[in-house]
Amino acid sequence: MKAHLVKWGFIAAGAMNIGGVLIFSRLFTNSAIHIADPVVMSNFGLLMIVIWGFAYLGASQIKGNVRWLAAAFTIEKLVYVLAWLTWYSKEALDAVYQQDLFAGIFYSIYGLNDLVFMLFFAWVYWINRPEAAMH
């Protein structure tokens, strides 16, 4: 059961990264996303989010222990959650919505989405610790 949840969790994470970026950025053409955060959400940054999505999809196919891979993914998601919280504390979300609905939705949800998957990856790390295998 856990292996099934892990597999589908990785697939969901990949789908959210890839699909979310491609939809909300309108295939990298939505300049409102870059304007709101030109460092983290540049086209290069968005492309790297898609690449992480493919890494999650690849991890979904691993049959063995993915403990340290999940740890890396946890840290990666933590960085994005912190970037989102920093952005959210300094920027006006209303202004982003006024510029573009998709960009507004993107900035409303991306940090929460990353928080959910950060917790999922941390759980995968936790259940794959050596002590858990003995139970």
Side-chain angles (χ1 to χ4, degrees):
M1 178 64 173
K2 284 183 186 173
H4 184 74
L5 285 174
V6 169
K7 176 182 179 175
W8 285 103
F10 279 120
I11 291 170
M16 290 299 289
N17 268 45
I18 297 165
V21 165
L22 295 179
I23 290 167
F24 290 110
S25 75
R26 294 189 187 101
L27 301 174
F28 303 102
T29 65
N30 189 345
S31 62
I33 289 178
H34 321 142
I35 291 168
D37 189 346
V39 175
V40 178
M41 297 302 167
S42 64
N43 269 346
F44 177 79
L46 293 172
L47 177 61
M48 291 299 98
I49 293 168
V50 170
I51 300 294
W52 278 109
F54 283 112
Y56 305 148
L57 290 178
S60 76
Q61 302 304 305
I62 297 173
K63 302 278 190 252
N65 187 321
V66 292
R67 181 172 193 235
W68 291 107
L69 190 54
F73 292 163
T74 301
I75 294 165
E76 178 260 342
K77 287 297 187 188
L78 174 63
V79 169
Y80 278 98
V81 169
L82 293 175
W84 179 73
L85 288 171
T86 301
W87 180 89
Y88 203 83
S89 70
K90 295 178 182 177
E91 301 297 329
L93 188 57
D94 298 358
V96 179
Y97 270 102
Q98 288 174 2
Q99 194 170 12
D100 182 81
L101 176 64
F102 275 31
I105 294 169
F106 177 82
Y107 281 100
S108 294
I109 63 174
Y110 101 76
L112 298 173
N113 175 74
D114 285 346
L115 176 63
V116 167
F117 285 108
M118 180 189 78
L119 295 172
F120 165 74
F121 294 139
W123 173 76
V124 172
Y125 171 83
W126 181 255
I127 65 168
N128 281 289
R129 69 194 191 290
E131 306 84 54
M134 294 179 193
H135 292 30

